[in-house]
Short mmCIF file of all heavy atoms in Angstrom, two decimals:
data_model
loop_
_atom_site.label_atom_id
_atom_site.label_comp_id
_atom_site.label_asym_id
_atom_site.label_seq_id
_atom_site.Cartn_x
_atom_site.Cartn_y
_atom_site.Cartn_z
N MET A 1 0.84 -1.20 0.00
CA MET A 1 -0.02 0.01 -0.01
C MET A 1 0.91 1.28 -0.02
O MET A 1 0.64 2.17 -0.76
CB MET A 1 -0.89 -0.08 1.20
CG MET A 1 -1.80 1.20 1.38
SD MET A 1 -2.94 1.49 -0.10
CE MET A 1 -4.26 0.46 0.40
N PHE A 2 1.91 1.32 0.80
CA PHE A 2 2.71 2.45 0.95
C PHE A 2 3.52 2.66 -0.28
O PHE A 2 3.72 3.74 -0.81
CB PHE A 2 3.63 2.33 2.16
CG PHE A 2 2.90 2.40 3.52
CD1 PHE A 2 2.88 1.18 4.24
CD2 PHE A 2 2.21 3.42 3.90
CE1 PHE A 2 2.31 1.19 5.48
CE2 PHE A 2 1.52 3.43 5.05
CZ PHE A 2 1.55 2.25 5.97
N LEU A 3 3.92 1.44 -0.99
CA LEU A 3 4.72 1.63 -2.18
C LEU A 3 3.73 2.22 -3.28
O LEU A 3 4.19 3.01 -4.05
CB LEU A 3 5.26 0.22 -2.63
CG LEU A 3 5.85 0.13 -4.04
CD1 LEU A 3 7.08 1.00 -3.97
CD2 LEU A 3 6.20 -1.22 -4.46
N ILE A 4 2.53 1.74 -3.35
CA ILE A 4 1.55 2.34 -4.36
C ILE A 4 1.42 3.85 -4.14
O ILE A 4 1.45 4.55 -5.12
CB ILE A 4 0.13 1.73 -4.27
CG1 ILE A 4 0.28 0.14 -4.68
CG2 ILE A 4 -0.92 2.35 -5.18
CD1 ILE A 4 -0.91 -0.70 -4.26
N MET A 5 1.34 4.30 -2.96
CA MET A 5 1.17 5.70 -2.71
C MET A 5 2.45 6.57 -3.11
O MET A 5 2.39 7.62 -3.69
CB MET A 5 0.89 6.06 -1.25
CG MET A 5 -0.57 5.58 -0.87
SD MET A 5 -1.06 5.94 0.66
CE MET A 5 0.06 5.07 1.81
N THR A 6 3.57 5.91 -2.92
CA THR A 6 4.88 6.44 -3.32
C THR A 6 4.97 6.63 -4.94
O THR A 6 5.29 7.66 -5.41
CB THR A 6 6.03 5.66 -2.89
OG1 THR A 6 5.98 5.62 -1.39
CG2 THR A 6 7.35 6.24 -3.30
N VAL A 7 4.44 5.61 -5.56
CA VAL A 7 4.46 5.63 -7.07
C VAL A 7 3.42 6.73 -7.51
O VAL A 7 3.73 7.50 -8.37
CB VAL A 7 4.12 4.19 -7.57
CG1 VAL A 7 3.84 4.28 -9.03
CG2 VAL A 7 5.18 3.22 -7.23
N LEU A 8 2.23 6.74 -6.89
CA LEU A 8 1.32 7.78 -7.35
C LEU A 8 1.78 9.15 -7.23
O LEU A 8 1.54 10.06 -7.96
CB LEU A 8 -0.07 7.57 -6.61
CG LEU A 8 -0.72 6.27 -6.84
CD1 LEU A 8 -2.06 6.10 -5.95
CD2 LEU A 8 -1.31 6.27 -8.32
N ARG A 9 2.54 9.35 -6.01
CA ARG A 9 2.98 10.69 -5.91
C ARG A 9 4.07 11.24 -6.92
O ARG A 9 4.33 12.40 -7.08
CB ARG A 9 3.71 10.78 -4.44
CG ARG A 9 2.88 10.81 -3.34
CD ARG A 9 3.47 10.87 -2.13
NE ARG A 9 2.48 10.83 -0.99
CZ ARG A 9 2.62 10.16 0.10
NH1 ARG A 9 3.70 9.51 0.32
NH2 ARG A 9 1.68 10.12 0.98
N ARG A 10 4.59 10.34 -7.68
CA ARG A 10 5.49 10.61 -8.80
C ARG A 10 4.82 11.06 -9.96
O ARG A 10 5.45 11.52 -10.85
CB ARG A 10 6.45 9.45 -9.04
CG ARG A 10 7.43 9.09 -8.02
CD ARG A 10 8.45 8.18 -8.51
NE ARG A 10 8.85 7.31 -7.29
CZ ARG A 10 9.04 5.99 -7.42
NH1 ARG A 10 8.81 5.35 -8.53
NH2 ARG A 10 9.51 5.39 -6.32
N HIS A 11 3.55 10.88 -10.02
CA HIS A 11 2.77 11.30 -11.30
C HIS A 11 2.87 12.81 -11.52
O HIS A 11 2.78 13.46 -10.53
CB HIS A 11 1.31 10.71 -11.16
CG HIS A 11 0.60 10.91 -12.41
ND1 HIS A 11 0.02 12.01 -12.90
CD2 HIS A 11 0.27 9.86 -13.29
CE1 HIS A 11 -0.62 11.91 -14.08
NE2 HIS A 11 -0.41 10.56 -14.36
N PRO A 12 3.03 13.22 -12.76
CA PRO A 12 3.13 14.66 -12.98
C PRO A 12 1.86 15.51 -12.44
O PRO A 12 2.17 16.69 -12.21
CB PRO A 12 3.28 14.74 -14.52
CG PRO A 12 3.52 13.42 -15.01
CD PRO A 12 3.19 12.48 -13.97
N ALA A 13 0.81 14.94 -12.41
CA ALA A 13 -0.34 15.63 -12.00
C ALA A 13 -0.59 15.68 -10.50
O ALA A 13 -1.42 16.53 -9.97
CB ALA A 13 -1.69 15.11 -12.70
N TYR A 14 0.24 14.99 -9.76
CA TYR A 14 -0.01 14.84 -8.35
C TYR A 14 0.05 16.06 -7.57
O TYR A 14 -0.83 16.55 -6.83
CB TYR A 14 0.90 13.79 -7.75
CG TYR A 14 0.71 13.60 -6.29
CD1 TYR A 14 -0.24 12.71 -5.74
CD2 TYR A 14 1.45 14.38 -5.37
CE1 TYR A 14 -0.41 12.67 -4.34
CE2 TYR A 14 1.26 14.28 -3.96
CZ TYR A 14 0.37 13.42 -3.47
OH TYR A 14 0.08 13.22 -2.19
N VAL A 15 1.08 16.88 -7.82
CA VAL A 15 1.36 18.08 -7.05
C VAL A 15 0.23 19.10 -7.36
O VAL A 15 -0.25 19.72 -6.46
CB VAL A 15 2.79 18.71 -7.45
CG1 VAL A 15 2.99 20.08 -6.80
CG2 VAL A 15 3.87 17.74 -6.92
N THR A 16 -0.11 19.32 -8.55
CA THR A 16 -1.11 20.24 -8.93
C THR A 16 -2.50 19.77 -8.31
O THR A 16 -3.11 20.76 -7.66
CB THR A 16 -1.32 20.34 -10.42
OG1 THR A 16 -0.02 20.68 -10.97
CG2 THR A 16 -2.38 21.30 -10.81
N HIS A 17 -2.82 18.60 -8.45
CA HIS A 17 -4.15 18.16 -7.93
C HIS A 17 -4.15 18.17 -6.34
O HIS A 17 -5.14 18.58 -5.65
CB HIS A 17 -4.51 16.77 -8.32
CG HIS A 17 -4.85 16.90 -9.79
ND1 HIS A 17 -4.16 16.43 -10.87
CD2 HIS A 17 -5.97 17.35 -10.47
CE1 HIS A 17 -4.72 16.62 -12.02
NE2 HIS A 17 -5.84 17.25 -11.83
N HIS A 18 -3.04 17.77 -5.75
CA HIS A 18 -2.95 17.82 -4.24
C HIS A 18 -3.13 19.35 -3.78
O HIS A 18 -3.84 19.63 -2.93
CB HIS A 18 -1.58 17.32 -3.79
CG HIS A 18 -1.41 17.16 -2.43
ND1 HIS A 18 -1.01 18.19 -1.62
CD2 HIS A 18 -1.53 16.02 -1.65
CE1 HIS A 18 -1.02 17.81 -0.29
NE2 HIS A 18 -1.27 16.44 -0.29
N ALA A 19 -2.55 20.20 -4.44
CA ALA A 19 -2.56 21.65 -4.07
C ALA A 19 -4.07 22.19 -4.24
O ALA A 19 -4.51 22.90 -3.41
CB ALA A 19 -1.61 22.53 -4.87
N LEU A 20 -4.71 21.71 -5.37
CA LEU A 20 -5.99 22.15 -5.70
C LEU A 20 -6.92 21.72 -4.57
O LEU A 20 -7.77 22.42 -3.93
CB LEU A 20 -6.49 21.68 -7.07
CG LEU A 20 -7.91 21.98 -7.26
CD1 LEU A 20 -8.21 23.48 -7.51
CD2 LEU A 20 -8.28 21.20 -8.67
N LEU A 21 -6.88 20.37 -4.16
CA LEU A 21 -7.71 19.90 -3.07
C LEU A 21 -7.40 20.52 -1.76
O LEU A 21 -8.30 20.89 -0.92
CB LEU A 21 -7.44 18.36 -3.01
CG LEU A 21 -7.95 17.55 -4.09
CD1 LEU A 21 -7.50 16.05 -4.14
CD2 LEU A 21 -9.52 17.66 -4.15
N ALA A 22 -6.06 20.71 -1.37
CA ALA A 22 -5.71 21.34 -0.17
C ALA A 22 -6.30 22.71 -0.12
O ALA A 22 -6.77 23.23 0.91
CB ALA A 22 -4.16 21.38 0.03
N ASP A 23 -6.08 23.52 -1.20
CA ASP A 23 -6.70 24.87 -1.32
C ASP A 23 -8.30 24.88 -1.12
O ASP A 23 -8.72 25.88 -0.69
CB ASP A 23 -6.26 25.62 -2.58
CG ASP A 23 -4.82 25.90 -2.62
OD1 ASP A 23 -4.15 25.86 -1.54
OD2 ASP A 23 -4.24 26.23 -3.73
N SER A 24 -8.88 23.81 -1.51
CA SER A 24 -10.34 23.58 -1.27
C SER A 24 -10.66 23.22 0.09
O SER A 24 -11.95 23.02 0.33
CB SER A 24 -10.84 22.69 -2.35
OG SER A 24 -10.59 23.26 -3.67
N GLY A 25 -9.72 23.00 0.91
CA GLY A 25 -10.05 22.59 2.28
C GLY A 25 -9.89 21.14 2.71
O GLY A 25 -10.17 20.65 3.76
N VAL A 26 -9.53 20.41 1.79
CA VAL A 26 -9.17 18.95 1.97
C VAL A 26 -8.00 18.81 2.82
O VAL A 26 -6.91 19.40 2.59
CB VAL A 26 -9.00 18.15 0.72
CG1 VAL A 26 -8.62 16.70 0.98
CG2 VAL A 26 -10.24 18.23 -0.16
N ARG A 27 -8.06 18.03 3.91
CA ARG A 27 -6.91 17.82 4.85
C ARG A 27 -6.47 16.37 4.61
O ARG A 27 -7.15 15.40 4.62
CB ARG A 27 -7.33 17.93 6.33
CG ARG A 27 -6.26 17.70 7.25
CD ARG A 27 -6.75 17.94 8.66
NE ARG A 27 -5.67 17.55 9.55
CZ ARG A 27 -5.80 16.96 10.59
NH1 ARG A 27 -7.04 16.67 11.02
NH2 ARG A 27 -4.83 16.58 11.55
N PHE A 28 -5.14 16.34 4.23
CA PHE A 28 -4.45 15.07 3.91
C PHE A 28 -3.82 14.58 5.23
O PHE A 28 -3.08 15.32 5.84
CB PHE A 28 -3.36 15.16 2.82
CG PHE A 28 -4.03 15.55 1.52
CD1 PHE A 28 -4.28 16.87 1.09
CD2 PHE A 28 -4.56 14.58 0.71
CE1 PHE A 28 -4.83 17.21 -0.01
CE2 PHE A 28 -5.17 14.76 -0.42
CZ PHE A 28 -5.32 16.10 -0.86
N LEU A 29 -4.12 13.30 5.64
CA LEU A 29 -3.39 12.75 6.79
C LEU A 29 -2.16 11.86 6.37
O LEU A 29 -2.37 11.28 5.39
CB LEU A 29 -4.48 11.82 7.54
CG LEU A 29 -5.64 12.50 8.01
CD1 LEU A 29 -6.65 11.49 8.67
CD2 LEU A 29 -5.32 13.55 9.10
N PRO A 30 -1.23 11.98 7.18
CA PRO A 30 -0.06 11.09 6.82
C PRO A 30 -0.46 9.57 6.82
O PRO A 30 -1.16 9.20 7.76
CB PRO A 30 0.98 11.40 7.86
CG PRO A 30 0.63 12.60 8.50
CD PRO A 30 -0.86 12.73 8.37
N PRO A 31 -0.06 8.78 5.88
CA PRO A 31 -0.52 7.40 5.88
C PRO A 31 -0.23 6.70 7.14
O PRO A 31 -0.94 5.78 7.56
CB PRO A 31 0.31 6.78 4.70
CG PRO A 31 0.73 7.98 3.90
CD PRO A 31 0.86 9.12 4.70
N GLU A 32 0.99 7.03 7.80
CA GLU A 32 1.27 6.32 9.10
C GLU A 32 0.36 6.50 10.15
O GLU A 32 0.22 5.82 11.12
CB GLU A 32 2.70 6.59 9.45
CG GLU A 32 3.01 8.02 9.66
CD GLU A 32 3.41 8.82 8.42
OE1 GLU A 32 3.47 8.26 7.35
OE2 GLU A 32 3.81 9.94 8.65
N GLU A 33 -0.56 7.60 10.04
CA GLU A 33 -1.47 7.81 11.03
C GLU A 33 -2.81 7.09 10.89
O GLU A 33 -3.49 6.86 11.83
CB GLU A 33 -1.85 9.37 11.14
CG GLU A 33 -0.88 10.29 11.63
CD GLU A 33 -1.29 11.75 11.73
OE1 GLU A 33 -2.49 11.91 11.72
OE2 GLU A 33 -0.43 12.52 11.86
N VAL A 34 -3.11 6.60 9.66
CA VAL A 34 -4.36 5.90 9.46
C VAL A 34 -4.21 4.53 8.79
O VAL A 34 -5.20 3.76 8.80
CB VAL A 34 -5.33 6.69 8.45
CG1 VAL A 34 -5.73 8.01 9.26
CG2 VAL A 34 -4.59 7.14 7.20
N LEU A 35 -3.05 4.23 8.34
CA LEU A 35 -2.87 2.77 7.78
C LEU A 35 -1.85 2.08 8.79
O LEU A 35 -0.80 2.62 9.15
CB LEU A 35 -2.29 2.80 6.51
CG LEU A 35 -3.11 3.62 5.39
CD1 LEU A 35 -2.35 3.60 4.03
CD2 LEU A 35 -4.37 2.78 5.25
N HIS A 36 -2.17 0.80 9.01
CA HIS A 36 -1.25 0.02 9.84
C HIS A 36 -1.06 -1.31 9.27
O HIS A 36 -1.96 -1.92 8.70
CB HIS A 36 -1.95 -0.17 11.20
CG HIS A 36 -2.14 1.13 11.92
ND1 HIS A 36 -1.16 1.84 12.58
CD2 HIS A 36 -3.31 1.88 12.14
CE1 HIS A 36 -1.78 3.00 13.11
NE2 HIS A 36 -3.00 2.97 12.76
N ARG A 37 0.14 -1.74 9.25
CA ARG A 37 0.50 -3.08 8.59
C ARG A 37 0.65 -4.11 9.77
O ARG A 37 1.42 -3.90 10.59
CB ARG A 37 1.80 -3.02 7.84
CG ARG A 37 2.14 -4.33 7.20
CD ARG A 37 3.39 -4.29 6.27
NE ARG A 37 3.30 -3.25 5.22
CZ ARG A 37 2.81 -3.40 4.02
NH1 ARG A 37 2.16 -4.52 3.79
NH2 ARG A 37 2.73 -2.35 3.16
N ASP A 38 -0.22 -5.13 9.74
CA ASP A 38 -0.21 -6.17 10.66
C ASP A 38 1.09 -7.04 10.50
O ASP A 38 1.65 -7.00 9.38
CB ASP A 38 -1.42 -7.09 10.56
CG ASP A 38 -2.60 -6.28 10.94
OD1 ASP A 38 -2.58 -5.33 11.75
OD2 ASP A 38 -3.76 -6.61 10.54
N PRO A 39 1.51 -7.79 11.51
CA PRO A 39 2.72 -8.66 11.31
C PRO A 39 2.61 -9.65 10.13
O PRO A 39 3.65 -10.01 9.51
CB PRO A 39 2.71 -9.39 12.59
CG PRO A 39 2.11 -8.56 13.62
CD PRO A 39 1.03 -7.85 12.90
N ASP A 40 1.40 -9.96 9.79
CA ASP A 40 1.12 -10.91 8.56
C ASP A 40 1.21 -10.21 7.28
O ASP A 40 1.03 -10.79 6.23
CB ASP A 40 -0.23 -11.68 8.79
CG ASP A 40 -1.35 -10.86 8.82
OD1 ASP A 40 -1.27 -9.60 8.69
OD2 ASP A 40 -2.42 -11.38 8.89
N GLY A 41 1.39 -8.79 7.35
CA GLY A 41 1.45 -8.05 6.03
C GLY A 41 0.22 -7.37 5.72
O GLY A 41 0.23 -6.60 4.73
N VAL A 42 -0.84 -7.73 6.29
CA VAL A 42 -2.15 -7.09 6.01
C VAL A 42 -2.20 -5.67 6.34
O VAL A 42 -1.83 -5.35 7.53
CB VAL A 42 -3.30 -7.82 6.57
CG1 VAL A 42 -4.65 -7.22 6.37
CG2 VAL A 42 -3.42 -9.36 6.03
N VAL A 43 -2.60 -4.76 5.49
CA VAL A 43 -2.73 -3.35 5.75
C VAL A 43 -4.23 -3.05 6.23
O VAL A 43 -5.12 -3.42 5.46
CB VAL A 43 -2.34 -2.54 4.58
CG1 VAL A 43 -2.56 -0.94 4.89
CG2 VAL A 43 -0.86 -2.74 4.25
N THR A 44 -4.29 -2.39 7.29
CA THR A 44 -5.71 -2.07 7.77
C THR A 44 -5.75 -0.57 7.94
O THR A 44 -4.91 0.16 8.08
CB THR A 44 -6.01 -2.66 9.15
OG1 THR A 44 -5.02 -2.36 10.07
CG2 THR A 44 -6.05 -4.24 9.04
N PHE A 45 -6.98 -0.06 7.74
CA PHE A 45 -7.30 1.34 7.80
C PHE A 45 -7.98 1.72 9.19
O PHE A 45 -8.97 1.05 9.58
CB PHE A 45 -8.33 1.76 6.67
CG PHE A 45 -8.56 3.12 6.49
CD1 PHE A 45 -7.62 3.98 5.90
CD2 PHE A 45 -9.74 3.82 7.02
CE1 PHE A 45 -7.90 5.25 5.83
CE2 PHE A 45 -10.01 5.12 6.95
CZ PHE A 45 -8.98 5.84 6.19
N ASP A 46 -7.35 2.54 9.92
CA ASP A 46 -7.80 2.98 11.26
C ASP A 46 -8.89 3.98 11.27
O ASP A 46 -8.56 5.10 11.19
CB ASP A 46 -6.56 3.45 12.06
CG ASP A 46 -6.86 3.60 13.54
OD1 ASP A 46 -8.12 3.59 13.90
OD2 ASP A 46 -5.97 3.85 14.25
N LEU A 47 -10.16 3.59 11.27
CA LEU A 47 -11.24 4.45 11.29
C LEU A 47 -11.31 5.33 12.48
O LEU A 47 -11.72 6.51 12.43
CB LEU A 47 -12.56 3.76 11.05
CG LEU A 47 -12.79 3.11 9.75
CD1 LEU A 47 -14.11 2.28 9.74
CD2 LEU A 47 -12.91 4.17 8.62
N THR A 48 -10.90 4.86 13.55
CA THR A 48 -10.83 5.62 14.89
C THR A 48 -9.91 6.87 14.72
O THR A 48 -10.23 8.03 15.00
CB THR A 48 -10.33 4.75 16.04
OG1 THR A 48 -11.18 3.67 16.20
CG2 THR A 48 -10.44 5.54 17.30
N ALA A 49 -8.74 6.73 14.05
CA ALA A 49 -7.80 7.81 13.81
C ALA A 49 -8.40 8.83 12.81
O ALA A 49 -8.21 10.01 13.01
CB ALA A 49 -6.45 7.31 13.26
N LEU A 50 -9.09 8.26 11.81
CA LEU A 50 -9.83 9.24 10.85
C LEU A 50 -10.97 9.96 11.55
O LEU A 50 -10.94 11.27 11.49
CB LEU A 50 -10.37 8.34 9.77
CG LEU A 50 -11.07 9.14 8.67
CD1 LEU A 50 -10.30 10.12 7.93
CD2 LEU A 50 -11.80 8.22 7.66
N ARG A 51 -11.78 9.34 12.39
CA ARG A 51 -12.78 10.13 13.08
C ARG A 51 -12.16 11.15 14.03
O ARG A 51 -12.75 12.28 14.15
CB ARG A 51 -13.66 9.19 13.88
CG ARG A 51 -14.77 8.69 12.97
CD ARG A 51 -15.64 7.75 13.89
NE ARG A 51 -15.18 6.50 13.47
CZ ARG A 51 -15.34 5.36 13.82
NH1 ARG A 51 -15.93 5.11 14.80
NH2 ARG A 51 -14.87 4.25 13.35
N ALA A 52 -11.02 10.80 14.69
CA ALA A 52 -10.30 11.83 15.53
C ALA A 52 -9.90 13.01 14.82
O ALA A 52 -9.72 14.11 15.38
CB ALA A 52 -9.27 11.13 16.39
N ALA A 53 -9.56 12.88 13.51
CA ALA A 53 -8.96 13.98 12.72
C ALA A 53 -10.10 14.85 12.09
O ALA A 53 -9.78 15.93 11.77
CB ALA A 53 -8.16 13.37 11.65
N LEU A 54 -11.32 14.40 12.23
CA LEU A 54 -12.45 15.14 11.59
C LEU A 54 -12.71 16.37 12.48
O LEU A 54 -12.66 16.26 13.73
CB LEU A 54 -13.63 14.34 11.46
CG LEU A 54 -13.68 13.23 10.35
CD1 LEU A 54 -14.84 12.32 10.43
CD2 LEU A 54 -13.49 13.80 8.98
N PRO A 55 -13.10 17.52 11.90
CA PRO A 55 -13.40 18.74 12.71
C PRO A 55 -14.85 18.38 13.40
O PRO A 55 -15.65 17.70 12.95
CB PRO A 55 -13.67 19.72 11.71
CG PRO A 55 -13.67 19.18 10.33
CD PRO A 55 -13.04 17.75 10.43
N SER A 56 -14.96 18.89 14.71
CA SER A 56 -16.17 18.59 15.34
C SER A 56 -17.14 19.68 15.08
O SER A 56 -17.01 20.67 14.69
CB SER A 56 -15.96 18.47 16.87
OG SER A 56 -14.73 18.98 17.39
#
């Protein structure tokens, strides 16, 4: 999962689109805050961390 995100960030449109979304109010969380790799290699998404990051 982390490798895929690294590859996607290399795409020429990434910086422009990331900036457009950020300027529109989208907040990007670091992957290490919401994605966790289990010892067996399975990546899970931490919904609790996502909820905690949402504005109240």
Side-chain angles (χ1 to χ4, degrees):
M1 177 61 83
F2 297 112
L3 176 61
I4 293 170
M5 290 184 296
T6 301
V7 171
L8 290 175
R9 287 182 182 136
R10 289 190 210 141
H11 191 280
Y14 180 85
V15 173
T16 304
H17 289 108
H18 187 279
L20 177 65
L21 289 167
D23 291 345
S24 299
V26 173
R27 180 174 171 220
F28 294 91
L29 299 174
E32 58 273 4
E33 286 186 20
V34 292
L35 298 176
H36 302 282
R37 185 177 301 277
D38 294 336
D40 61 1
V42 174
V43 176
T44 57
F45 188 77
D46 186 351
L47 289 175
T48 304
L50 178 61
R51 271 182 260 168
L54 291 173
S56 16

